[in-house]
Amino acid sequence: MQGFETELTERLRQTVTTDEDVLHKFINAAGDLAVNLVVAVIIMTVTWWAAGWASRLVRRLIARVHGGGPPDVTLQSFAGSMARYFVIVVGFVAVLQQLGVQTTSILAVLGAASLAVGLALQGTLSNVAAGVMLLLFRPYRVGDTVEIGGRTGTVKMLDLFVTELATPDNLKVVLPNGKVFGDVIVNTSYHSRRRVDAVFRVDNKRDVPALLAGLKARAEANPLVLKDPAPTVEVTGLSEAFVEGAVRAWVESGDFGVVKGDLLLAARLLADGADEALPPLPKAHVKGPPAPRKKRPSIRDRLKHSNE
């Protein structure tokens, strides 16, 4: 009987000891998990702050590279986003490692999934590749007027997937970057000056030399037409029924439409002999004095301002 009591007492003691060990291990594991969770939250918070800081830093660096000129909004947005996402990915991997997750296996799974997704989204990835090439070669920028695929408009947005245009009649046109990069791109805003070619046709019975002289005088009197190179008028074609001519004048890019419309209307009115019906010439642009360039405050001025 005593042997049975002794054995029962020993088993109860072992059971209690085992339960205490399990409880201590559970408490230690819970404490480690709590510490890891706190550290992970801190890492994620710092990562989120660092991602915004890196994005702003990249934007400021790009603005400084341009010097006193206007910064490239498209390049700023793209580079800032890339810097932000890079920091977020690094922080996310650090959080997983802090929580004890084997990141190597996750990266392998993500690599295999990325391959499968890439094969399924070949068209989308081609747009991404074309977007990268457009951002590198920069055939146009945000704010430029371009003609792509038979569509003319002002570039409102350029990202990795699409290019958004606003047409002159205020329509939104979204073009995939793959189609844009593989098509002919005409950028009418790239150069500050353009040549107006106003082509006209008149009857053979008209006084063609007088018409040419009147059109040249009209172009030379237009204040929007540049004096160098001087405007020219020439005959470009002859037939039994009509004479084809062209007025060529150099203008600023923003005055292209106004000058071309004026010359075409003048060609028609002069050919009909309605010299008195010519509209008044457009007014010249009044250029004010250049705005003074603001002096950037020094580090001493900034510290003084912050102390105040």
Side-chain angles (χ1 to χ4, degrees):
M1 189 66 179
Q2 291 180 354
F4 175 74
E5 292 179 353
T6 303
E7 183 179 357
L8 180 61
T9 303
E10 183 65 23
R11 289 186 178 182
L12 289 175
R13 187 183 62 81
Q14 292 178 358
T15 302
V16 172
T17 304
T18 303
D19 292 341
E20 289 179 353
D21 293 340
V22 172
L23 181 61
H24 284 305
K25 290 181 180 179
F26 178 76
I27 293 174
N28 292 333
D32 293 339
L33 179 61
V35 172
N36 290 334
L37 286 176
V38 172
V39 175
V41 171
I42 295 175
I43 292 176
M44 207 62 203
T45 303
V46 174
T47 299
W48 196 262
W49 173 84
W53 176 82
S55 177
R56 293 190 296 270
L57 177 64
V58 171
R59 291 172 182 268
R60 287 197 296 267
L61 289 176
I62 293 176
R64 288 188 176 183
V65 168
H66 286 79
D72 191 340
V73 180
T74 305
L75 185 59
Q76 279 185 315
S77 177
F78 173 73
S81 299
M82 292 296 293
R84 183 172 181 271
Y85 292 141
F86 176 77
V87 175
I88 289 177
V89 170
V90 173
F92 183 71
V93 173
V95 168
L96 293 179
Q97 289 181 346
Q98 182 64 34
L99 295 177
V101 180
Q102 297 295 329
T103 56
T104 54
S105 58
I106 294 179
L107 292 177
V109 173
L110 290 178
S114 300
L115 179 60
V117 173
L119 293 176
L121 300 176
Q122 293 181 3
T124 303
L125 293 179
S126 66
N127 290 330
V128 173
V132 173
M133 299 302 291
L134 290 173
L135 289 169
L136 289 177
F137 290 103
R138 311 316 304 278
Y140 55 84
R141 303 172 183 267
V142 174
D144 288 353
T145 301
V146 297
E147 180 181 350
I148 304 173
R151 291 285 187 172
T152 301
T154 303
V155 180
K156 293 297 182 181
M157 184 185 67
L158 169 62
D159 59 18
L160 289 178
F161 297 96
V162 297
T163 295
E164 180 181 331
L165 302 181
T167 61
D169 53 348
N170 203 25
L171 295 179
K172 178 181 178 181
V173 179
V174 180
L175 301 172
N177 284 336
K179 180 177 178 59
V180 173
F181 192 71
D183 206 338
V184 177
I185 301 174
V186 181
N187 190 341
T188 59
S189 301
Y190 186 81
H191 297 289
S192 60
R193 296 181 176 183
R194 293 184 62 185
R195 192 183 72 177
V196 175
D197 292 342
V199 181
F200 59 90
R201 290 180 179 179
V202 295
D203 194 340
N204 282 333
K205 298 178 181 180
R206 303 290 182 181
D207 189 355
V208 177
L211 174 61
L212 297 180
L215 285 175
K216 186 174 182 180
R218 178 74 178 184
E220 292 175 346
N222 195 327
L224 301 181
V225 175
L226 301 178
K227 306 303 179 183
D228 186 20
T232 60
V233 182
E234 58 187 11
V235 175
T236 59
L238 292 172
S239 70
E240 296 180 358
F242 60 84
V243 177
E244 184 180 86
V247 187
R248 310 188 192 279
W250 286 88
V251 298
E252 298 291 338
S253 296
D255 301 329
F256 180 84
V258 176
V259 174
K260 185 172 183 178
D262 179 77
L263 292 176
L264 290 175
L265 179 60
R268 173 50 55 193
L269 294 177
L270 291 175
D272 295 339
D275 301 11
E276 66 282 354
L278 287 174
L281 291 170
K283 296 182 180 180
H285 299 301
V286 179
K287 296 183 180 180
R293 187 174 181 180
K294 295 183 179 180
K295 183 179 179 182
R296 300 183 62 181
S298 62
I299 299 178
R300 180 180 299 177
D301 295 336
R302 295 179 183 177
L303 294 175
K304 182 179 179 181
H305 181 69
S306 61
N307 293 330
E308 294 177 354

